[in-house]
Each structure stands twice: as structure tokens, then as C-alpha cells.
Amino acid sequence: MEDNELIVTEGTVQSVIFQNPENGYTVLRLRPDGDESFTAVGALPGVTVGEKLRLYGSWTSHPSFGQQFKAEHAERYLPEGSSAIYDYLASGAIKGIGAKLARLIVSEFGARSLDVIENSPEELVKLRGITSKKAEDISERFRRQTGLRRLMEFLVDNGVKPIAAAKLYRAYGDGAEAVVTENPYILADHAFGMDFFAADGLAVRLGFAPDCRERAAAAAIFELRHNEGNGHVFLPRDKLVAATAQLLEIDSEPVERALEELSETGELIVQRVAGVDAAYLRDMFDAEYETARRIAVMSRTPVDDTPGLPVLMERAEYRCGIRFADKQRAALEMAARGRVMVLTGGPGTGKTTTVRGIISLYDEMGLDTLLTAPTGRAAKRLTELTGREAQTVHRLLGAGMPEAGENGREFEKCASDPLDCGAVILDETSMVDIKLMAALLDAMPPSARLVMVGDADQLPSVGPGNVFGDVIRSGTVPVIALTDIFRQAKESAIVKNAHMINRGETPALKNAGGDFFFLKRQDPESITGTVTELISRRLPQNMGIQPAEIQVLSPSRKYGGGTRELNAAVQEALNPASPEKKEKNLGSVTFRVGDRVMQTRNNYDIMWVKGASAVPAADEDGEPTPVRGEPGAGIYNGDVGYIEDMDEGAQMAYIRFEDKLVPYPFDQLTDLELAYAVTVHKSQGSEYRAVILALPKCPPGLVARGVLYTAVTRARELLVIVGGPDVFSAMVANDRRQRRYSGLRARLAGEVE
């Protein structure tokens, strides 16, 4: 619809009912001159009471809130006249000015009030109670607010979400708009959280050439960031040049020049690693370098002899109520005599018992031991298995704490404010990426010990690097590999078949009872139908296992039998649409109250309330009602919760992650996905009472032994595989692992030039 086809209306903002800082979506009451107020909605970032608006849009009817004016865009003006200026100031639009002071200012300066605040703050001092400092503070806040509003409008007018505006303004002040105009690719910097393609679109509108230096540099950085999602810590320089040139559809020469400039500024580090010219972004290089340096120091640094170690080990055995096997005793001795070690082994080999023994031994040695794991589910499981409190690495390091934001820090705990401990036991280390490992090592006291525990045959971390595998293959850290399956575990077909798969042997797919079943289904439709029937009817009715205790897995997200298709089918079976259930459509996905969902990226800033019960999301006047309880921040990639409530008026969903209630603005629901079915990669570190594994035909890279082994070992009591025997056999036979560009092994082994 062209502007001349839009309805034009104008008035003064009477009240702001709701405003979403993420996308600028606003619900307000607008009062035309000499007419009754009405509700208007649209992207109006930073709008405040008293402003004059000219809105271009159309009238719509909302099913719950009646007639509204939906603004496509707006022209905004600061209030004019004493009455409107008073309303604006009294609304709290400028921090430090309330109704009382607003009355004093307007009584003294009238229609000049805003001009005095912005340009002549010294005149405010004549008012009772205003000092020179307070006058300057008020003026600075007003100027900042005006500049921030202009920046938001500039971004919104150019198709960019205003959430970046506050960060840009904080970094560049009144010059932020000029900085963006000069180089719109600054928006693609991870500090501002915008997508490269959004910045590229703005650059095109501003007339930047396809082969300009700014575009080539931003695209190279984008390629490196994008490939972090594929597990790569660096890219070979020649591959980076080729990929960037292909992305931009330009020659390689401008890319070569851009890489040289990035190297000169230190944003890019190129180093010869194991015979490859490795191109790193600065933070990836620092993480890998510091991880290698710290582990190397720990492996070389001796610890003081422990007097009476044999007696202490016997006491640890007594406390655990078990006689340790030889390799388990060797692990305890290694933990006592060294500063860093690896404990690895498959299911049923006694890793948990060995960890309990190490904890007891460290207790006997007087060491304060912290237990941690990369995900909330893995930490909860570690707590249950050891009887000792375990935390996620993020929580242990204080992610989301106020101190974590100082000096650009991601975590509160670091070398200058280390953890208070004598040892750290890190479980599910195969899931830990290079940046998280670097952060943990940085926060450990120099004298503390580190025990890395995991299954070396599991898939590597979702994030960049292959930390656990690289450490083991480097040969520089002592490793205990547990291989014997204990008697009780031998009775489980899940455990027995997992070890057969790991050895490259195909188990017999006979459904003779027990805990391992295979249902032959060849086409995607029958796979999806059988999976849906199993979780919604057969397992609950025949085995007493409820849907909440069952996790559906698939190697792939896409294609028939992938998690997208499975989630839609299972959602329809377990949580179908109804007039009584609130829901929100986002593209092809519908989120509905009652759905199981998973967070797909780390969000250190999102706020939650612990111990809160669900509350009405808005009061009778339409104002959002605050959720009360113990506050905190941070939801992390892989966290699973349930949608507890939604409020269309406030554009908010409320997600329950165990004991935490998290308000999600609707536009942040893109950080979530349905989690009735998840990929095998996303299931790492978790254990479920029952697993249904869909095995449709999928891309060759996912038809791999590591994927199958990881999926099978997620099930505790029951595993049902639904798919083709040919796919199953092909996965067992294929032990090829996708290469990850990581230099940690080479650094630990001294293979860096």
C-alpha cells in the first residue's frame, strides 16, 4: 500500500500501554485535538507521553481489544505548549523529573521548557532544589534520549530492529547515526547483534559498492562466525578467501586486501598450525591459545605429595561402599597425584562410580570440589548420581551477574575474581566448546585441579572446537579410559548394543523384550505416524511411560522424519489447537500454551523469576503485571521448558524452565523451537527415561556411527528405534567423522610455527 493510500491521523500520546524494547512494538492511546482518544499500535520505539504523532496506516479490529489504528510508519514531534510539555515531563520521560518538578519547570519557563532543558540547563538552577549538577544531569539525559530516539527512527526506517540502537548509542553517542551511515557493516559486529545480510541490505540502500573494502571485510568476518556454528575454530586462509568471494559474487582480490587490513588491525589472526595457514577471529584465537597454555601449564606443574595416599584411597572406597576395579583405583591415584586428567568411558563402565570415588578422595585430602556440566540437564543428572550439588558452567562462572558486564566480560568469575575451590570436576566434557573451556580455565585458581570426564566416542560440542577429543589425542594429558562393562549394565540391551555399535558391529534387530526395540518403517510418513502413535498412545498405555518422560530424536532437522516434521505431528497429537488455548504463529511454526520448547542460543540478558507462579499478564487497564519472585538472568542453548501462558496484548509469552519463569517478548520466540523432537546433536549430555529414535533416510553426513551411538546412549530404561534397517546398518558401518578446523591438539603437541 502506497503512502497516498494510507489513512493519516495525528494527535498527542495520552498513555503508553505497552512497549517492547526488542523491536519497538508499542501499544498507546492517542488523543487527537478536540476528539476522543483511541488505541494505536506499531513500531514506535522510545515514544513517550506528550509527544505529537502523525501516523500513516489503517484501522483494524482486534478480537480481544477492539478497534485499533495500525501504524505503518510515523512522524514524531516533541510536545508544544505548556500543557503538553507538562504531560510529557510528568510522565517520567526524563529520568530525574517527576510531576512536582515538571510543574515547577513549566510554571517558570512555559513553552520554552524543553529548549531550556536541552540548551540552557544553567537556567534550571533558579528553581528550588535544583543544583548545577542536577541541571546538567537532566539536560544530558534529555539530549541522550533525543539522540537515541533519532537513531531508533533511522534504524526502523531502514528496516533494522531498534534493539541495536541502545548499544550503538552507548558506543558512539550522538555520532552513532553518522558511524552507521559511514559504515553500515558495523551493525554486523557481534557486539550489536545484527545479521550480516541486514547490514548488507542497508549498505545497498546507502549506495555502497559490491566490492568495497567494508563489505569484503564484513563478509569475511561473517564467514568465520557462520562456520563457528559448524564447529570450526578457524578456517584455512585460502578457503576463507574463496568462500567470501563466492558469497559476495566478486573477485578474490578485494577479499585478499580486506584480510590484510583485518590482520593489521588485529581483528584477524593468521598463524601456521599443523601445516595450515589458519585464519582466526581474535576471540577464537585467544580462547584456543589460552586453553592450550593453561592445560599445558597444569600438565607440567607437579603437585605436593599426598601423605598416606593409600589410606586415603581406602577411606574413599569405604565411604562409597564399593571395591574399586583396577582402572578405577588408577583414576583415583591419578587425580591425587596430578593437576589435570581425563576420565573417559562408555555406558556401564563405571564413570559415575569413579567420579564419586574422586570426590570422596578429594574430601579426604581437604580439597573443596566443585561439580559442573555444560547444560542444566547434565548438571541435574550429575547431582542425582553423585548426591552433590552440580551447576552448569555458565551458572558456576556467574553468567548474567551484574559484575559479568564490566569491561565487556561475559562471566563474573575470571582470573581477577577466581572460583573458591581446590578442584573442579567437569562432566560431559565432549559438549564443551573452546570458548567455554577457556572461560572455565581462566576462572580456576592456579593451584586447582581439573578432572575432565566424558565419553570420547560421543559427538563433539555443538559450539566451535573439539576440546575433549583434542586434549586426548594430544598425548600431553594423563588419560584413564574405562572399558570393562560391569555386571548390572551387561543386563541392559541398550548398553550392550551401544558398545557393539561403537566397535562397528551391527546388533541383531530382534524385538525379544527388554529395553531395546526396532520397528521397521521405510517411508517418512510411516516413520512419523509410528513415532506419533508411540509417544501419544502406545508407550503411555502399554508401558506406563508418560509423554513428558519420552524424548523423540532424529539425526536431521529437515526432510521427512526430521525434527521439524516430527514436532508438528507430535504437537498435533499431544497439544492440539483449541479455542481455549492461546497460540502464536511464527512462520511455519505455531507455539501454543503447553508446548515443550528448547532455547537455541545463549541469552545472558533475558530475565527470569525463580519460584514464581504464573500471574495474569495484564491488569484491567491493560498494563503488564510484573512477575514477582527471586530474579536472575540467562537462558542457555539447549535449555528445555514449557510454555505456561501467553498475552497477546503485551506481546509476551511465559516459559517455565524448571523453577524459573521467563517472560519472552513474542519476537524473541525465534530463539525457541518445539522440543517434542530434537536432533541427536541437541540431545547431548541428556538422559531420558525413554527415547524414540527416528531413522529416516537423511544427508550422508548424518549417516554416521557417532550420531547413532550418541542417540542410543541417551536412553535410560527404554529405546525404540523406528526406521529402515539399511539406514541403521549404514550408520554402524560409517565411522568417518566430520572434520573440524581446530588447532588445540596441535598447540598442546607443539605443532605451531
Side-chain angles (χ1 to χ4, degrees):
M1 185 181 289
E2 299 295 330
D3 282 1
N4 58 10
E5 297 177 319
L6 297 175
I7 297 171
V8 182
T9 186
E10 59 183 50
T12 302
V13 178
Q14 186 178 30
S15 64
V16 177
I17 298 169
F18 170 77
Q19 194 163 75
N20 185 337
E22 289 285 329
N23 60 6
Y25 178 84
T26 303
V27 180
L28 56 80
R29 296 290 293 178
L30 194 72
R31 184 181 61 217
D33 292 340
D35 206 345
E36 293 184 2
S37 63
F38 59 87
T39 299
V41 300
L44 300 164
V47 72
T48 56
V49 171
E51 280 191 73
K52 292 191 69 174
L53 301 179
R54 179 177 292 127
L55 303 181
Y56 298 79
S58 58
W59 289 100
T60 63
S61 181
H62 190 281
S64 300
F65 302 102
Q67 193 177 44
Q68 299 178 340
F69 189 84
K70 184 177 181 180
E72 299 296 330
H73 61 269
E75 296 172 4
R76 298 167 58 176
Y77 310 91
L78 284 173
E80 298 174 351
S82 298
S83 177
I85 291 174
Y86 169 76
D87 288 342
Y88 173 74
L89 295 177
S91 72
I94 304 175
K95 188 177 178 182
I97 299 180
K100 183 177 179 181
L101 184 54
R103 189 173 294 109
L104 286 174
I105 292 172
V106 173
S107 296
E108 179 68 27
F109 303 110
R112 293 181 53 236
S113 296
L114 296 183
D115 180 62
V116 168
I117 291 172
E118 182 173 10
N119 300 307
S120 305
E122 66 277 2
E123 292 190 43
L124 295 174
V125 178
K126 68 175 66 174
L127 299 178
R128 182 164 48 88
I130 297 187
T131 63
S132 296
K133 184 178 186 309
K134 185 170 183 178
E136 286 297 331
D137 287 345
I138 289 172
S139 181
E140 182 181 348
R141 290 181 192 123
F142 178 68
R143 290 195 299 269
R144 174 182 172 83
Q145 180 176 295
T146 303
L148 182 58
R149 188 186 67 181
R150 283 196 297 264
L151 180 61
M152 284 182 173
E153 290 172 349
F154 168 75
L155 294 177
V156 171
D157 287 346
N158 285 282
V160 179
K161 289 184 177 182
I163 187 62
K167 295 178 180 178
L168 282 165
Y169 198 88
R170 192 179 304 123
Y172 299 109
D174 288 333
E177 184 176 334
V179 168
V180 173
T181 303
E182 182 179 341
N183 182 9
Y185 293 102
I186 193 73
L187 287 166
D189 188 288
H190 70 284
F192 304 120
M194 296 304 299
D195 183 87
F196 166 78
F197 297 103
D200 199 39
L202 176 57
V204 169
R205 287 192 288 273
L206 294 176
F208 279 71
D211 62 349
C212 68
R213 174 190 59 80
E214 295 89 350
R215 188 172 190 241
I221 292 171
F222 166 76
E223 283 288 351
L224 288 167
R225 289 286 179 216
H226 174 75
N227 277 282
E228 288 175 19
N230 295 326
H232 302 304
V233 181
F234 68 82
L235 288 180
R237 191 180 187 281
D238 58 342
K239 291 183 181 293
L240 175 60
V241 171
T244 304
Q246 183 179 15
L247 175 71
L248 300 181
E249 298 181 336
I250 61 174
D251 294 334
S252 60
E253 185 178 347
V255 180
E256 293 277 8
R257 290 198 303 269
L259 295 190
E260 290 298 326
E261 291 188 22
L262 289 171
S263 297
E264 290 173 7
T265 62
E267 294 176 78
L268 189 74
I269 307 294
V270 180
Q271 190 174 50
R272 192 78 174 168
V273 178
V276 175
D277 287 329
Y280 293 84
L281 288 174
R282 165 61 72 177
D283 60 334
M284 286 290 106
F285 177 84
D286 289 345
E288 186 177 275
Y289 178 86
E290 286 301 320
T291 297
R293 183 190 67 80
R294 185 64 187 272
I295 289 177
V297 168
M298 293 173 75
S299 64
R300 293 194 304 262
T301 304
V303 297
D304 295 335
D305 288 337
T306 303
L309 180 58
V311 175
L312 297 180
M313 291 178 63
E314 288 180 6
R315 289 179 182 171
E317 274 190 328
Y318 177 79
R319 291 175 63 176
C320 292
I322 192 171
R323 188 72 178 173
F324 294 122
D326 290 345
K327 281 193 174 182
Q328 292 176 315
R329 289 183 64 83
L332 266 66
E333 186 169 353
M334 187 180 289
R337 297 191 185 279
R339 202 173 294 282
V340 60
M341 68 167 288
V342 166
L343 175 66
T344 184
T349 57
K351 285 199 308 294
T352 300
T353 300
T354 308
V355 168
R356 289 171 53 209
I358 292 173
I359 295 169
S360 294
L361 178 60
Y362 281 165
D363 287 346
E364 295 289 343
M365 293 170 62
L367 296 176
D368 291 328
T369 305
L370 297 175
L371 306 187
T372 188
T375 68
R377 290 164 293 158
K380 183 178 180 181
R381 179 167 168 257
L382 183 59
T383 298
E384 293 168 350
L385 293 173
T386 63
R388 298 280 286 266
E389 181 187 3
Q391 300 180 69
T392 63
V393 180
H394 289 90
R395 185 65 50 79
L396 184 72
L397 299 183
M401 299 295 288
E403 296 84 349
E406 296 178 2
N407 302 317
R409 280 161 43 192
E410 205 166 286
F411 300 103
E412 175 191 5
K413 294 297 179 182
C414 58
S416 60
D417 182 16
L419 297 165
D420 183 12
C421 66
V424 172
I425 296 178
L426 173 62
D427 198 17
E428 298 288 354
T429 309
S430 63
M431 296 181 64
V432 177
D433 64 41
I434 190 67
K435 290 192 76 173
L436 192 58
M437 178 58 81
L440 177 61
L441 290 167
D442 184 52
M444 288 178 58
S447 61
R449 304 161 192 251
L450 175 63
V451 179
M452 291 178 275
V453 183
D455 186 341
D457 295 309
Q458 298 280 359
L459 293 169
S461 58
V462 175
N466 187 10
V467 173
F468 199 49
D470 284 352
V471 168
I472 292 172
R473 287 193 296 273
S474 73
T476 60
V477 173
V479 177
I480 290 289
L482 303 175
T483 55
D484 295 334
I485 304 175
F486 288 87
R487 181 182 59 81
Q488 186 175 0
K490 286 181 180 178
E491 299 172 3
S492 167
I494 293 173
V495 172
K496 181 180 70 174
N497 290 342
H499 284 275
M500 289 184 67
I501 291 166
N502 205 28
R503 294 193 299 267
E505 303 169 9
T506 303
L509 302 179
K510 296 179 180 179
N511 296 323
D515 56 8
F516 186 102
F517 295 87
F518 190 96
L519 302 181
K520 181 180 177 180
R521 303 288 188 273
Q522 294 288 10
D523 60 280
E525 292 78 12
S526 62
I527 290 174
T528 299
T530 300
V531 167
T532 304
E533 185 183 14
L534 283 166
I535 191 172
S536 63
R537 187 179 63 82
R538 290 170 62 178
L539 295 187
Q541 291 180 8
N542 299 337
M543 313 219 31
I545 303 176
Q546 298 308 307
E549 301 174 295
I550 304 168
Q551 182 62 60
V552 178
L553 303 181
S554 178
S556 175
R557 288 174 54 85
K558 304 176 184 177
Y559 313 106
T563 59
R564 289 181 182 174
E565 183 178 288
L566 289 166
N567 269 314
V570 175
Q571 181 193 46
E572 180 61 28
L574 296 181
N575 192 28
S578 77
E580 292 76 30
K581 284 183 183 174
K582 303 171 188 174
E583 61 180 42
K584 177 67 177 177
N585 294 313
L586 287 180
S588 61
V589 179
T590 297
F591 291 104
R592 190 172 295 135
V593 171
D595 278 336
R596 185 194 305 178
V597 293
M598 176 183 283
Q599 177 78 5
T600 60
R601 72 176 185 90
N602 290 336
N603 186 336
Y604 302 112
D605 300 323
I606 193 165
M607 302 300 296
W608 46 257
V609 177
K610 189 173 183 179
S613 58
V615 296
D619 62 20
E620 59 185 10
D621 296 322
E623 295 283 356
T625 303
V627 181
R628 305 194 183 280
E630 180 186 338
I635 296 295
Y636 309 114
N637 188 5
D639 286 353
V640 174
Y642 289 85
I643 301 178
E644 195 161 284
D645 199 1
M646 288 185 176
D647 178 24
E648 183 70 32
Q651 294 282 289
M652 197 74 70
Y654 294 88
I655 319 294
R656 175 77 62 180
F657 292 91
E658 294 187 352
D659 60 346
K660 298 187 287 287
L661 187 64
V662 188
Y664 271 73
F666 276 171
D667 75 312
Q668 274 191 282
L669 291 177
T670 54
D671 290 347
L672 299 172
E673 61 186 18
L674 293 174
Y676 300 106
V678 301
T679 63
V680 176
H681 281 81
K682 285 286 190 180
S683 73
Q684 289 174 262
S686 299
E687 187 179 72
Y688 311 100
R689 184 180 177 191
V691 167
I692 303 171
L693 172 61
L695 284 187
K697 294 185 183 300
C698 52
L702 296 174
V703 182
R705 185 185 302 171
V707 175
L708 180 60
Y709 175 76
T710 299
V712 169
T713 53
R714 300 308 90 202
R716 184 171 69 248
E717 295 182 18
L718 178 69
L719 173 67
V720 184
I721 302 176
V722 183
D726 53 336
V727 176
F728 185 89
S729 299
M731 295 179 84
V732 175
N734 180 19
D735 195 29
R736 293 193 304 272
R737 302 194 177 221
Q738 185 177 7
R739 181 177 182 181
R740 289 190 167 200
Y741 291 113
S742 164
L744 181 59
R745 184 208 62 78
R747 291 185 189 281
L748 288 169
E751 300 174 8
V752 177
E753 298 175 21

